Amino acid sequence: MNVYELIKKKRDGLELSQMEIGFLIDGFVTGRIPDYQITAFLMAVYFRGMCARECVDLTMAMANSGDQVDLSAIRGSKVDKHSTGGVGDKTTLVLAPLVAASGGIVAKMTGRELGHTGGTVDKLESIPGFQVELSQDKFVEIVNDIHVSLIAQTASLAPADKQIYALRNVTATVDSIPLIASSIMSKKLAAGSEGIVLDVKTGRGAFTPSYQDALELAKTMVKIGDGAGRTVVALITGMEQPLGYAVGNAIEVKEAIDTLRGNGPADLVELVTELGSDMLLVSGVVSDREQAGSIIAQNLANDKGLDRLADLITAQGGDSTVLDQTDLLPQPAQKIAIRSRASGYVSAIDALEVGLAAKVLGAGRKTKDEAIDHSIGIYLKKKIGDKVAPGDALAVFYSDGDEAKIEPAQNKFLKAYAFDSNKVDPPKLIHARVTRDGVEEMN
Ligand code: URA
C-alpha cells in the first residue's frame, strides 16, 4: 500500500477500505508514516468526511492501537458515560456515585481539561488525597466492591488518538465530525464497558456549537457503538450557558457535593436525572424510564448517592470528611464580586467566554504539564432569565490574588453576558435523545 495514493483517494472524496485505514493508523503509531502525511490525510477527512463504515473502521483501528481494558473480572453489566465537553460540567462527579447507588456499575476512565472545557480528573484531584492513577487490578477491585471507580485515562489507552489529537490541535482539524466521533469512541470502546451514555453538547460553549452538527456527531457515535456491538445512547444537551453556577475545580466539587445532598442547581439536577435514567436503562437495572427517574430522584433525596461518593473517595485514598467540611477543599486567596454595569434580564451567557475567563484567572493550564491551582474559579450569581440591576453581583471570582489576571478575566467575563428589557425564559437543556432506533426530539 502507498500512503500517497491513500491520501489522494480521500482527497478526491473516495472511500478507504478497512485495510487502508488500518494501514495508515498502524503506520503512524509505529513511526513508519510521518506527521506530515497523516496531517494531509486528516485535512482530506476534514473536507471530504467519512461514511459510517469508515468511521467504525477508523475508531476500531485507534481503539486497537493500545491496551484494551479488560473488565471481564467485574461482575454485571458496566455502563460508561462521556460528555463531549462543557463549561461547569461536573456531571460525572454526581452521576457516577448516584448511578452506582441506584444499581448500576460504573467503571470509568476520565480525562483532564481540553481547550476551554474542564476535566473530571482535575476536579477529582482537588479532593485531598484522592488518587486518580490506580493499577487495573485495584480499579477492578474497587468496582467489584462499591460498583464505582473513576480513574485517569492511561497513556496506553488508544495512543493513536492521543498522537492524532496532538496533530489536529495544531492543524485546524479538530472540528471534524468523523474525527471527533472516532476520537471519543476509540477511547470509550477501549475502556471496555458494554453500555455507553453520551452527553453531546450544543451551544457556544460546545465543540459542536450548532444543533445540526451536534446531532450529526451523536448519530455518528451511536452508529460506531452499534457497529462495535455496544449499546450507545446519546443525549443532545444545551451548553448555551455554563452548567450550574460553579466553574473551576474545587468549586465544582463543592457544587457536586451540594447536588448529592439534594441542594443542586435545577439544570444540573435535570441533566443528572436524564443521563442517570439512561444509564440505568442501558445497564438493564430497570426497563421503564419513569421508574429509572424516580430511583435517581430518591437517591438524591435520601443521600445514598452522597454516601457512595464517600465510599469512592475513601476507596481511592481521599479524605471523605471533605463532604461535611467542604472548607477542606483548596480555598482561594481572595473572593471578588464582579458587578453588573447593565440592567435587565440576563438573555445570554456565552459559556465559551466564561470558560476562557476562568482560564485567564488561572483555573486551567497554559502548558500541558503545568500544575493546576484547584482553588481558582468563577461562581455565577446570575443565570439566563434572572433580573439584574446595575451594581448587582453577576459572579464571584475565586482568585489567587494576582491583580494582573483579574482585570483581563473580568473584561472577558462581562462580555459573556447579554441583557434584555423583557423577561427571558431559561434555555431548553435536553434537546434530543439519539439511539440506534432513531432521534427523539424533546419539546
Ligand atoms: N473530545 C475528544 O476526546 N476528542 C475530540 O476530538 C473532541 C473532544
Side-chain angles (χ1 to χ4, degrees), residues 105-118:
I105 301 174
V106 186
K108 181 166 168 52
M109 291 198 164
T110 185
R112 295 189 187 274
E113 67 166 340
L114 193 59
H116 64 282
T117 67

Side-chain angles (χ1 to χ4, degrees), residues 114 165 168 180 183-184 187 207:
L114 193 59
Y165 196 91
R168 288 168 59 210
I180 298 176
S183 163
I184 292 173
K187 290 171 285 203
F207 279 106

Side-chain angles (χ1 to χ4, degrees), residues 3 13 28 135 156 180 235-236 274 297 312 322 367 423:
V3 184
F28 177 51
S135 68
S156 57
I180 298 176
L235 291 188
I236 301 188
E274 290 300 319
L312 172 66
V322 81
T367 57
K423 207 165 172 352

